[in-house]
Amino acid sequence: MRNKRMFMLMLGVVLLVAVIGYSLSDRKILTYPEQFVRDAASVAQGWFYSATAAVTGVARDVVNLKSLHEEAEQLRRTVAVYTRDKVHYNYVELENQRLQKLLNFTEEQRNRFNYDYVVAQVVAIGNDANNRTLTINLGTKHGVETDMAVITVDGLVGIISAVSAFSSTVTPITELAEESPTVNAIAVSAFGKEQESFGILSSYNPETQRLLITRISEGDQIAEGDLIITSGKGAMYPRGLVVGEVEDLRLGDYGLTYNATVKMKAKMDGLHEVMVVIPPKSVAQEEAADPVEADTDGALAP
Amino acid sequence: MSISRVIVALLLLFLAETSVMPLILPMPDRVIPHFVFVLILFSGMHRSRHSALLLGVGFGMLQDIVQYGHLMGPASFFMGLMGYLSGVMLEKKQVSAFTAVSVVLFACLLYDAGVFAIYKGFRITDASFEWAFFHHMVPSLLLQLLFAIISYRLAKRLLERQHKPSGEIDEE
């Protein structure tokens, strides 16, 4: 009797290790049962989350009523700056297009940074302390894929870690860890010094609630108070997404490079709406995707 | 009551702990609800160890699949194991509310420590155990105990099998 229990426990441990090993591998597409369970759960979670958010939202609005005037004032100032910058931007954009045409840029090169920003609703927040996740209500049917960046108006929130047809899971950048086999480091640089600064956003320290940038070279222009944005140099994540502000710059472990501590801009709690940054498809991807898309369209039409 | 009602109740609790509680609770990164887990422990005491094992593995797997960030498996393994253990200890005994709540206390600590050990072992988290213990394990434990105390009577009525005559249940 006891032996049987022991045997079952061992079997359970073996199964656990096997499942962990399988799920740790770099899986781009989930199996159909998984997708079905996730989509079904996300629909129900969506109802509950939006209902709760509506109620708590009203309560928060009442509390925030006082600061409304101040906020409006601040926004008015921002709009003034924005209109001025917009005029300047239009000139620069036109000039840039003219030069790109002169230099015979291909269509792909020209559209490389024309990102699509798709608004998604958060439907659930994970209840595992070591594996913080957000579930959003967009999936492969809406063009979302793994490793896309997710932002709020304040800045970068996380990276899509798993996708099913109508929902996907976001792993926040607070899950970044130096030696983690499941999250990738993000290439970053400082705003206004994009060509002169470069670092690797490699980990998040939950104890101090700060992000860490490593491998900053000695002659780097990066300084305290700089706004940190993604550089797009890894070609994996889009460029120009706000990450945070440099708080502290010090010599790294081996004395060869510098490390910077960064305070995150995006707020993690009470998230309701986020945006998925969808990069333009490369020519090779489009050719590969087209026949499949035509097929599914045909199948969907009754 | 029938197992289908138990499953519906657990599903509702799962939705509550992922989509309702994070918005309501203060400090949602420290106080983390595990209501489904508490009810699975209760089902080990009031129903049978096997149903607790199956419910634990099933709902753990649901949690693993829906919240797939790094890896799958820890939730289903530890929920099933803890449900089974609570059944082995207290299955055919009269359980007082105090015993039930203290079982929830130890099981929650073991569950959190076990899951943390797996994430630490696979180097997914850098945090130290001491920090994790005081940062989220103790605050979440308090929430779980509160839920266990509030839901104890209701859970007993929900989980106990129907072989008792219905009059006896009404008397409670």
Side-chain angles (χ1 to χ4, degrees):
Chain A
M1 184 63 193
R2 186 139 296 164
N3 272 339
K4 195 176 131 203
R5 259 185 209 160
M6 216 53 217
F7 176 72
M8 291 306 281
L9 182 65
M10 288 299 158
L11 203 70
V13 172
V14 170
L15 262 175
L16 171 70
V17 173
V19 169
I20 289 177
Y22 174 62
S23 60
L24 267 178
S25 61
D26 192 20
R27 295 203 297 153
K28 290 278 178 236
I29 298 161
L30 301 175
T31 56
Y32 280 107
E34 276 174 278
Q35 292 206 19
F36 176 75
V37 170
R38 290 163 59 90
D39 288 338
S42 77
V43 170
Q45 284 173 328
W47 298 333
F48 277 73
Y49 197 94
S50 54
T52 320
V55 174
T56 53
V58 168
R60 201 180 305 143
D61 286 350
V62 171
V63 174
N64 289 350
L65 218 53
K66 274 183 201 157
S67 59
L68 216 58
H69 181 74
E70 227 168 85
E71 202 180 317
E73 191 64 32
Q74 208 177 354
L75 285 176
R76 228 171 280 146
R77 230 173 294 145
T78 320
V79 168
V81 174
Y82 170 76
T83 10
R84 202 184 58 207
D85 283 354
K86 178 80 183 164
V87 175
H88 178 66
Y89 169 82
N90 277 349
Y91 278 114
V92 176
E93 175 78 8
L94 280 176
E95 178 73 4
N96 197 12
Q97 274 173 11
R98 193 179 63 83
L99 290 175
Q100 282 183 349
K101 216 170 269 173
L102 271 179
L103 291 169
N104 293 325
F105 270 45
T106 64
E107 189 73 16
E108 190 182 337
Q109 283 173 318
R110 247 179 279 159
N111 287 329
R112 188 180 293 161
F113 301 116
N114 284 345
Y115 302 122
D116 258 345
Y117 296 85
V118 190
V119 176
Q121 312 286 331
V122 177
V123 297
I125 292 166
N127 66 334
D128 186 344
N130 309 292
N131 167 33
R132 302 314 240 137
T133 53
L134 303 170
T135 311
I136 58 172
N137 66 350
L138 295 183
T140 44
K141 291 281 175 208
H142 311 95
V144 177
E145 285 167 25
T146 45
D147 290 331
M148 282 179 178
V150 176
I151 60 171
T152 62
V153 282
D154 296 320
L156 182 66
V157 168
I159 306 293
I160 303 267
S161 62
V163 193
S164 50
F166 302 105
S167 67
S168 35
T169 310
V170 183
T171 299
I173 49 174
T174 53
E175 290 288 300
L176 281 173
E178 190 95 51
E179 290 178 341
S180 170
T182 51
V183 281
N184 297 306
I186 300 168
V188 292
S189 63
F191 180 67
K193 308 170 187 167
E194 287 86 350
Q195 301 304 320
E196 296 102 53
S197 66
F198 179 80
I200 305 279
L201 189 67
S202 60
S203 65
Y204 176 79
N205 186 345
E207 297 173 34
T208 56
Q209 303 189 332
R210 296 292 181 271
L211 292 157
L212 186 73
I213 300 179
T214 54
R215 298 185 187 81
I216 301 169
S217 65
E218 205 159 348
D220 211 294
Q221 295 297 308
I222 209 163
E224 273 175 41
D226 276 358
L227 191 67
I228 293 297
I229 57 173
T230 56
S231 75
K233 277 178 183 149
M236 191 152 188
Y237 306 120
R239 70 170 186 186
L241 307 177
V242 175
V243 176
E245 219 175 69
V246 178
E247 273 198 342
D248 183 32
L249 195 67
R250 59 181 60 180
L251 210 58
D253 288 342
Y254 301 106
L256 296 171
T257 56
Y258 284 83
N259 289 350
T261 10
V262 172
K263 188 170 192 282
M264 238 176 103
K265 279 275 183 193
K267 288 182 185 60
M268 280 310 194
D269 39 326
L271 281 181
H272 192 200
E273 270 179 352
V274 294
M275 280 176 277
V276 185
V277 185
I278 300 183
K281 277 187 179 162
S282 67
V283 176
Q285 271 177 324
E286 245 166 41
E287 271 170 9
D290 262 347
V292 180
E293 257 177 35
D295 199 2
T296 48
D297 282 349
L300 275 177
Chain B
M1 279 201 216
S2 65
I3 192 78
S4 56
R5 281 204 188 177
V6 175
I7 289 173
V8 169
L10 283 173
L11 279 174
L12 284 176
L13 272 183
F14 177 74
L15 292 176
E17 69 182 17
T18 54
S19 299
V20 178
M21 295 316 282
L23 290 168
I24 295 172
L25 290 171
M27 298 191 291
D29 61 326
R30 299 189 64 178
V31 187
I32 297 153
H34 281 297
F35 300 157
V36 172
F37 180 57
V38 173
L39 228 69
I40 282 164
L41 293 174
F42 282 163
S43 78
M45 300 167 204
H46 301 311
R47 225 177 156 82
S48 75
R49 55 181 197 274
H50 294 112
S51 61
L53 175 68
L54 288 179
L55 285 174
V57 171
F59 276 88
M61 206 180 282
L62 177 69
Q63 188 185 317
D64 277 332
I65 290 173
V66 170
Q67 300 170 11
Y68 180 29
H70 303 292
L71 45 81
M72 285 182 187
S76 50
F77 180 78
F78 283 107
M79 274 195 189
L81 184 69
M82 291 298 154
Y84 186 80
L85 285 183
S86 98
V88 168
M89 283 191 291
L90 297 166
E91 193 176 19
K92 285 176 183 117
K93 292 175 186 138
Q94 277 294 328
V95 187
S96 68
F98 180 74
T99 327
V101 171
S102 40
V103 164
V104 169
L105 192 156
F106 286 111
C108 281
L109 281 180
L110 276 176
Y111 174 84
D112 276 341
V115 173
F116 181 83
I118 285 185
Y119 281 104
K120 187 83 179 166
F122 284 91
R123 297 183 173 231
I124 282 162
T125 175
D126 290 338
S128 65
F129 182 79
E130 290 85 3
W131 176 81
F133 185 76
F134 290 111
H135 179 258
H136 55 253
M137 287 183 198
V138 173
S140 330
L141 178 67
L142 294 178
L143 177 72
Q144 258 69 264
L145 289 182
L146 194 72
F147 176 75
I149 292 166
I150 292 171
S151 70
Y152 176 73
R153 294 298 287 276
L154 207 67
K156 194 174 177 187
R157 208 175 300 176
L158 173 77
L159 289 164
E160 257 167 352
R161 279 182 209 272
Q162 259 173 341
H163 50 66
K164 279 182 186 176
S166 57
E168 214 177 298
I169 295 171
D170 285 345
E171 272 170 23
E172 273 190 274

